[in-house]
Amino acid sequence: MDSVSLLSVICLLYQIQGSSAEEPKFVLKGKGILLDIQEQVVLENVRELTWKFNQSIYIVILHNNRDPEIYEDYTGRVEFPEQNSSMLLKRLTESDSGVYTAIVRTNKGEKKVAEHKIIVKAPVSPVVLTVDSVSPTVDSCNLTVTCSSTDSQIKARCDNQACQEETKKSSEVTTSATVLHVYLSNGSIICNHSNQVDSTTVMQETEPLCSPNDRLASDSTLDLKVAISTTTVFLILGILFAVCFYKRRKKYQKDQNQNTDYAAVPHLNPSPAEPADETTIYSMAGSPTAPKGTTQTTNYSVKDSVYAQVMK
């Protein structure tokens, strides 16, 4: 039973050691990292110690009583500040991401004494915090904000207590991902953009946006808009009423003038036809008589008598 327990402990320690070797270390681009040796190594007791990149690329070979043999691609980029041959690798770029191993060679053979998985990350892009809307009330203040970076964006609603993220456009959280986050802290809205090695933050205080003066100004602005709208409506109605009244009055005056003209003209009623005043003519001209010395009676028409009298 004791043998089984001892074997279990050994397997557990092996798993822990293996997992720690595979756990990545993140480094900011342009910076350096110290790659430690997991156990004490004395160069006097070994033939050489070699650092490799991805198992095949030589970085440096350390010899006993000789200067380090640094390969061309790493000239000026490696140092050995400690006595145990730990290596400081400087000015890292994304292409330096990978596995670094240290191997010692003795008369008995080779042994791995260090292994590090390195991931080099670029700095995160700057962020911009935009206040989209402000809705102040008597008891609270609601704000809608947008936090955006070069490759991601997030919208959130904030009040006096917290921020609630609504929509998000960003990559999943992995070893190479960046995270965009909006939250409320000490009366300020925080927009944070970060990855494993870098972080940038922009903040906006809520008090200037939600102060009582701003609320009063907002209410005053709303009252002014309502007053202007109401005045405009009444003004338009007044103008329409005046136009209608003017047209009706003008039409009424025109009708009155026409009625007055008709009243001024007398009504001519036709009278029965009067007979011609022949009697008057005859009375003035006299009746025709026969010539003297004759007994013949001449038959003259009335018209002949009239004309005869007139022509005399």
Side-chain angles (χ1 to χ4, degrees):
M1 190 59 127
D2 294 339
S3 300
V4 175
S5 301
L6 179 61
L7 181 60
S8 300
V9 172
I10 293 174
C11 291
L12 180 61
L13 292 175
Y14 177 81
Q15 291 176 358
I16 294 174
Q17 183 178 2
S19 61
S20 63
E22 294 179 357
E23 184 178 351
K25 297 180 180 179
F26 296 93
V27 185
L28 181 63
K29 180 181 177 181
K31 300 298 183 178
I33 184 172
L34 181 63
L35 303 178
D36 294 326
I37 299 292
Q38 271 84 26
E39 60 182 74
Q40 185 68 28
V41 175
V42 179
L43 288 178
E44 287 79 3
N45 299 331
V46 299
R47 295 175 55 185
E48 62 184 26
L49 185 148
T50 304
W51 278 98
K52 291 183 179 181
F53 175 58
N54 288 339
Q55 304 296 328
S56 60
I57 300 175
Y58 284 84
I59 300 174
V60 63
I61 299 177
L62 302 175
H63 301 278
N64 185 15
N65 298 324
R66 289 168 52 184
D67 292 335
E69 183 181 350
I70 301 174
Y71 283 74
E72 182 178 358
D73 291 341
Y74 294 91
T75 301
R77 295 182 57 200
V78 293
E79 294 180 1
F80 301 93
E82 299 183 6
Q83 297 296 326
N84 63 349
S85 303
S86 295
M87 180 179 66
L88 175 63
L89 184 61
K90 302 184 297 183
R91 300 194 301 275
L92 294 171
T93 64
E94 287 92 338
S95 60
D96 292 319
S97 298
V99 179
Y100 293 81
T101 56
I103 300 174
V104 295
R105 181 178 297 175
T106 65
N107 295 330
K108 297 180 180 181
E110 294 182 352
K111 180 182 179 182
K112 183 190 296 185
V113 293
E115 183 176 270
H116 301 278
K117 184 176 181 180
I118 304 300
I119 297 177
V120 182
K121 299 292 297 293
V124 296
S125 61
V127 289
V128 177
L129 179 62
T130 305
V131 179
D132 300 325
S133 65
V134 180
S135 301
T137 61
V138 177
D139 300 326
S140 180
C141 182
N142 299 318
L143 301 97
T144 302
V145 298
T146 300
C147 176
S148 57
S149 64
T150 302
D151 55 358
S152 56
Q153 184 184 83
I154 185 171
K155 287 184 176 293
R157 289 185 178 274
C158 304
D159 54 22
N160 296 342
Q161 303 298 325
C163 289
Q164 181 66 38
E165 297 177 354
E166 292 185 339
T167 58
K168 182 183 297 185
K169 295 180 180 179
S170 61
S171 59
E172 296 181 357
V173 179
T174 61
T175 55
S176 59
T178 60
V179 178
L180 200 62
H181 185 43
V182 178
Y183 59 95
L184 188 69
S185 177
N186 297 325
S188 296
I189 300 174
I190 310 296
C191 172
N192 178 259
H193 189 205
S194 62
N195 57 17
Q196 292 83 355
V197 296
D198 189 32
S199 176
T200 181
T201 299
V202 175
M203 65 176 58
Q204 171 65 57
E205 294 183 358
T206 59
E207 184 177 357
L209 300 175
C210 302
S211 62
N213 292 334
D214 290 338
R215 297 182 189 178
L216 181 60
S218 178
D219 295 339
S220 300
T221 302
L222 180 61
D223 294 340
L224 180 61
K225 290 181 179 179
V226 173
I228 293 175
S229 301
T230 304
T231 303
T232 303
V233 171
F234 278 106
L235 181 61
I236 293 175
L237 292 176
I239 293 174
L240 293 176
F241 177 79
V243 171
C244 292
F245 178 79
Y246 173 76
K247 288 184 176 181
R248 290 178 61 87
R249 183 175 180 82
K250 188 174 181 180
K251 184 176 182 301
Y252 175 77
Q253 290 179 351
K254 183 177 180 180
D255 294 341
Q256 288 295 104
N257 291 336
Q258 289 179 352
N259 294 334
T260 303
D261 292 340
Y262 284 124
V265 178
H267 295 282
L268 299 178
N269 297 323
S271 61
E274 296 180 357
D277 195 4
E278 295 181 354
T279 306
T280 304
I281 296 175
Y282 284 119
S283 63
M284 293 178 63
S287 301
T289 60
K292 293 181 179 182
T294 65
T295 59
Q296 186 180 1
T297 301
T298 306
N299 294 325
Y300 295 99
S301 63
V302 176
K303 293 180 180 181
D304 290 341
S305 299
V306 173
Y307 288 126
Q309 294 296 325
V310 172
M311 293 298 295
K312 287 183 177 181

